[in-house]
Amino acid sequence: MVVADNPPVVQELALDRDCTTLSRHVLQQLQSFSGDAQELSALMNRIGLAAKLISRRLTRAGLLEGALGVTGEVNVQGESVKKMDVYANDVFIAVFKQSGLVCRLASEEMEEPYYIPENCPIGRHTLLYDPIDGSSNVDINLNVGSIFSIRKQEGNDEDGSARDLLQAGHKQIGAGYILYGPSTVLVYSMGHGVHAFTLDPSLGEFILSQENVQVPTHGPIYSVNEGNFWQWEEPIREYIRYVHRHEGYTGRYSGALVGDIHRILFQGGVFLYPGTVKKPEGKLRLLYESAPLAFLMEQAGGRASTGTQDILDVIPERLHARSPLVIGSKEDVALVESFIQDWKRRQEEEAAIAARS
Ligand code: AHM
Ligand code: MG
């Protein structure tokens, strides 16, 4: 039997797709070869390199001496530090050293921003990142992620206080995440839609796998740690009771934000990490967890809220500030917000009645 070659047009399309690497895609998205566009393209390429290094270590972690387990230290968040957290944090630093691309890095694992003085005369961006998100999954070989956010550096920041980072999420010029799952997937946006790339190990390159991802306006999934049920305020409990009592909902929660958000981005639904009565600000950090994911979700046609305010409008008071997060399909985020609004209104009415009596 003679096997016909693919027709030339099909072949050309396949080749074109295989050559759509991260750096090329950024230039296509920005429709420019300006200095700025070249810089952002190079920056994404470096993030891709960090992702490959972290992915390589994760895939062999069980065989490597000293790759898994905790360091014995506690980070600025008061959480015990894993060896993979330290490795991944160092990878981002190493990748951006002498790149001329970013003057400053800020991460979940570092109390203060990390300056790369040799880059500062030309590097006009700051990269914020969570090197390993969901690190409780690392030692049991379940999915984890990295999250990143790109901001323009404003002012000369001579005192190193990084006050310019304490601005709303709308100031981000790009954001994304890397999901280390059965395959390694990088999802990013530079403000022109959301695009997914899959690491092809045979090429060692991230290749475009889905362009212009759109989140469904409603989806069946609710993703939340229900172990916190009795620590939440009443409206969150009411919402959970609502999904329990209505058909068409299914719960999914992996303990790693990136994986849970990835599912919702592609299949629709809502992820919640609400505050509790004792910790109203919740767990997730605004600048390098909630805000970049909010940027992506909005670019994909979804929404992200604290429950009462759009995440991208929140101005953090500190580099490591936390905020509650409700993120996903438009209709599902609105439903959670409606429970909170109703509860607040009822509380105000009761307070008014109590004040009159
Ligand atoms: P981490 O960045 O220290 O790993 O913490 C963030 C993680 C998220 O990935 C995940 O959604 C959440 O913490 C899980 O927290 P919990 O175990 O309280 O459900
Ligand atoms: Mg995290």
Side-chain angles (χ1 to χ4, degrees):
M1 187 177 80
V2 180
V3 180
D5 278 345
N6 280 332
V9 179
V10 175
Q11 247 176 45
E12 198 182 314
L13 282 176
L15 257 179
D16 207 42
R17 208 193 69 153
D18 280 352
C19 291
T20 308
T21 56
L22 273 172
S23 45
R24 171 165 144 182
H25 194 260
V26 172
L27 291 174
Q28 280 173 359
Q29 286 293 304
L30 299 178
Q31 295 186 345
S32 159
F33 288 107
S34 67
D36 231 24
Q38 299 276 3
E39 210 171 307
L40 288 172
S41 157
L43 213 155
M44 273 310 301
N45 197 34
R46 289 279 163 156
I47 292 173
L49 175 59
K52 287 181 228 173
L53 287 162
I54 296 168
S55 171
R56 185 178 68 174
R57 190 158 178 94
L58 282 169
T59 54
R60 296 183 300 140
L63 301 171
L64 300 173
E65 200 63 41
L68 297 177
V70 292
T71 62
E73 277 159 26
V74 171
N75 68 9
V76 56
Q77 326 281 341
E79 296 158 352
S80 83
V81 177
K82 300 251 161 161
K83 291 176 184 163
M84 266 314 292
D85 289 325
V86 175
Y87 175 80
N89 193 55
D90 290 349
V91 161
F92 274 91
I93 294 173
V95 152
F96 280 100
K97 265 187 184 161
Q98 297 192 332
S99 65
L101 291 169
V102 299
C103 166
R104 194 173 55 182
L105 297 165
S107 116
E108 180 177 320
E109 300 302 330
M110 301 186 289
E111 190 160 358
E112 308 273 331
Y114 181 100
Y115 285 81
I116 310 177
E118 70 267 22
N119 288 352
C120 288
I122 42 173
R124 291 164 300 144
H125 294 100
T126 290
L127 184 77
L128 296 112
Y129 62 103
D130 181 358
I132 295 281
D133 181 70
S135 37
S136 75
N137 279 6
V138 163
D139 293 341
I140 45 164
N141 193 32
L142 291 180
N143 72 278
V144 290
S146 303
I147 307 173
F148 59 89
S149 162
I150 304 163
R151 291 187 184 223
K152 266 240 147 53
Q153 191 150 322
E154 292 181 6
N156 52 20
D157 200 17
E158 266 162 4
D159 61 355
S161 61
R163 263 190 297 273
D164 61 305
L165 292 176
L166 307 184
Q167 297 192 63
H170 291 293
K171 285 277 180 178
Q172 295 171 106
I173 51 178
Y177 62 75
I178 300 122
L179 171 62
Y180 309 101
S183 55
T184 298
V185 174
L186 188 153
V187 178
Y188 90 99
S189 176
M190 287 282 177
H192 301 270
V194 174
H195 316 289
F197 288 70
T198 301
L199 180 61
D200 180 339
S202 65
L203 287 172
E205 282 283 3
F206 280 101
I207 302 297
L208 180 66
S209 44
Q210 192 161 344
E211 209 164 24
N212 293 315
V213 178
Q214 285 288 306
V215 59
T217 50
H218 163 68
I221 290 148
Y222 73 98
S223 184
V224 65
N225 185 346
E226 290 197 51
N228 295 331
F229 189 87
W230 290 109
Q231 288 150 50
W232 295 325
E233 294 279 14
E234 186 54 26
I236 303 298
R237 294 207 292 264
E238 281 176 7
Y239 169 74
I240 296 300
R241 286 191 195 103
Y242 175 92
V243 298
H244 286 174
R245 286 173 186 151
H246 287 78
E247 270 185 37
Y249 289 99
T250 186
R252 292 282 185 275
Y253 190 73
S254 74
L257 181 60
V258 168
D260 290 328
I261 297 287
H262 190 70
R263 186 199 296 273
I264 282 163
L265 185 64
F266 282 81
Q267 298 180 344
V270 65
F271 174 94
L272 302 92
Y273 208 110
T276 58
V277 174
K278 279 196 190 144
K279 285 182 78 182
E281 70 283 10
K283 175 179 185 186
L284 301 174
R285 274 63 43 134
L286 187 74
L287 280 167
Y288 42 80
E289 290 181 321
S290 305
L293 296 174
F295 185 87
L296 278 184
M297 201 54 85
E298 288 205 359
Q299 282 291 319
R303 282 205 48 222
S305 160
T306 61
T308 53
Q309 183 184 15
D310 279 348
I311 286 282
L312 293 183
D313 288 337
V314 179
I315 298 172
E317 283 174 7
R318 294 178 305 283
L319 180 60
H320 297 288
R322 299 171 193 258
S323 89
L325 178 65
V326 181
I327 182 168
S329 298
K330 265 186 176 158
E331 289 177 11
D332 299 295
V333 172
L335 182 61
V336 177
E337 286 176 325
S338 73
F339 278 89
I340 298 170
Q341 275 153 17
D342 286 355
W343 179 72
K344 280 191 180 295
R345 187 181 39 75
R346 287 198 312 268
Q347 280 207 319
E348 279 163 19
E349 283 169 8
E350 280 167 23
I353 292 167
R356 280 201 297 271
S357 59

